[in-house]
């Protein structure tokens, strides 16, 4: 079935460090892929998305490229800030239509001064 | 920016009691969803709702659960005879169209004692 696997956290970085959070998905069809972010005390917010192979989603300095050959959608940011501290969720659209999302377990990011 | 609102933010109930979690989706959205996240686990799809009926539900969404859109603005999740394992964060979401991005609320933390 559909699944998403992302690296476990917490990930702790110093401000201005480079961030990578790995995400892979099961290769059933060519699903749309998403990164959601959850800041403390808030709901899930869509960070970026990609709908087909080789698409690059980007927002707020974050990027992720849809890699069909490696079934991956790794999240990257060149220089993180303390305000980026949050939980990041990778998700894929369920095969078969509709708008059902399958989420990864989430990766907590802590950015320190 | 319009947002999905959920009430209450935290609900404590005793085992066996019924709870109703409330959500106000974004006003021009037509598709509504409930997801839940048990502490430390993945965000899981429960149900999607369109045109006043359930369009899809997961195996988690058994007879204990029901959803309703009682008026033009609210979308509710009812859990009958709550169990300890129903303790989780419940997220409501809505989308404008069938393949549009989901907008999530801040969640209701349900604690069953």
């Amino acid at each position: 079935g559909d699944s998403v696997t992302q690296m476990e956290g917490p990930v702790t970085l110093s401000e201005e460090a480079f961030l990578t959070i790995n995400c892979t998905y099961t290769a059933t069809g060519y699903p749309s892929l998403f990164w959601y972010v959850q800041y403390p005390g808030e709901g899930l917010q869509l960070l970026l998305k990609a709908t087909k192979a080789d698409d690059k989603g980007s927002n707020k300095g974050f990027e992720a490229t849809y890699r069909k050959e490696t079934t991956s959608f790794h999240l990257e940011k060149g220089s993180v800030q303390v305000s980026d501290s949050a939980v990041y969720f990778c998700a894929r659209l369920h095969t078969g239509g509709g708008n059902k999302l399958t989420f990864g377990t989430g990766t907590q990011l802590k950015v320190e001064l | 920016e319009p947002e999905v609102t959920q009430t209450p933010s935290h609900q404590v109930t005793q085992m066996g009691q019924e709870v109703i979690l409330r959500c106000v989706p974004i006003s021009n959205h037509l598709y509504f969803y409930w997801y839940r996240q048990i502490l430390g686990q993945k965000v899981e799809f429960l149900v999607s709702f369109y045109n006043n009926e359930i369009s899809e539900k997961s195996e988690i969404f058994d007879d204990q659960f029901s959803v309703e859109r009682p008026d033009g603005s609210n979308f509710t999740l009812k859990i009958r005879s709550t169990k300890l394992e129903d303790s989780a964060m419940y997220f409501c979401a809505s989308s404008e169209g069938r393949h549009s991005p989901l907008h999530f609320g801040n969640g209701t933390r349900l604690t069953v004692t």
Side-chain angles (χ1 to χ4, degrees):
Chain A
D2 295 343
S3 69
V4 173
T5 303
Q6 60 181 108
M7 62 189 287
E8 290 190 20
V11 173
T12 303
L13 295 174
S14 299
E15 204 170 39
E16 299 183 2
F18 184 87
L19 167 72
T20 300
I21 299 178
N22 290 339
C23 171
T24 56
Y25 62 94
T26 51
T28 308
Y30 301 99
S32 294
L33 302 172
F34 306 85
W35 277 100
Y36 279 82
V37 59
Q38 185 180 28
Y39 297 104
E42 299 185 18
L44 297 165
Q45 299 175 26
L46 178 63
L47 180 60
L48 54 84
K49 66 175 184 177
T51 57
K52 60 183 188 298
D54 300 324
D55 263 4
K56 178 185 282 189
S58 61
N59 186 23
K60 299 181 182 179
F62 290 89
E63 292 183 341
T65 301
Y66 192 139
R67 302 282 188 202
K68 184 180 67 173
E69 61 277 6
T70 54
T71 62
S72 64
F73 193 55
H74 304 321
L75 182 68
E76 297 181 334
K77 186 174 186 182
S79 175
V80 293
Q81 306 299 311
V82 172
S83 57
D84 293 326
S85 298
V87 181
Y88 292 82
F89 293 90
C90 186
R92 61 161 287 170
L93 203 59
H94 179 64
T95 306
N99 225 354
K100 175 183 164 184
L101 292 172
T102 299
F103 284 88
T105 51
T107 303
Q108 184 176 15
L109 170 66
K110 298 179 183 177
V111 181
E112 301 172 335
L113 290 171
Chain B
E1 184 178 331
E3 58 182 27
V4 176
T5 57
Q6 291 185 242
T7 55
S9 56
H10 191 189
Q11 173 91 45
V12 181
T13 189
Q14 288 190 327
M15 198 166 51
Q17 296 297 304
E18 175 182 286
V19 294
I20 297 176
L21 309 184
R22 303 182 189 278
C23 170
V24 179
I26 295 173
S27 61
N28 65 332
H29 285 188
L30 301 177
Y31 293 79
F32 314 113
Y33 314 84
W34 284 100
Y35 286 75
R36 79 172 184 189
Q37 183 184 27
I38 296 172
L39 188 63
Q41 298 186 25
K42 294 186 179 186
V43 177
E44 303 171 292
F45 170 79
L46 291 178
V47 66
S48 60
F49 190 88
Y50 169 71
N51 201 26
N52 279 324
E53 60 182 30
I54 292 173
S55 48
E56 190 174 359
K57 61 182 181 179
S58 72
E59 58 189 27
I60 301 169
F61 195 89
D62 59 20
D63 293 343
Q64 185 193 6
F65 295 88
S66 62
V67 290
E68 192 178 24
R69 188 152 164 83
D71 52 44
S73 60
N74 290 283
F75 180 53
T76 62
L77 174 69
K78 182 188 291 186
I79 309 175
R80 286 179 282 275
S81 190
T82 51
K83 299 175 284 197
L84 294 177
E85 54 264 39
D86 295 327
S87 296
M89 180 73 87
Y90 288 81
F91 292 105
C92 174
S94 67
S95 67
E96 190 173 356
R98 190 163 181 257
H99 300 291
S100 304
L102 272 64
H103 295 256
F104 285 84
N106 285 356
T108 293
R109 180 170 297 284
L110 176 65
T111 302
V112 182
T113 61

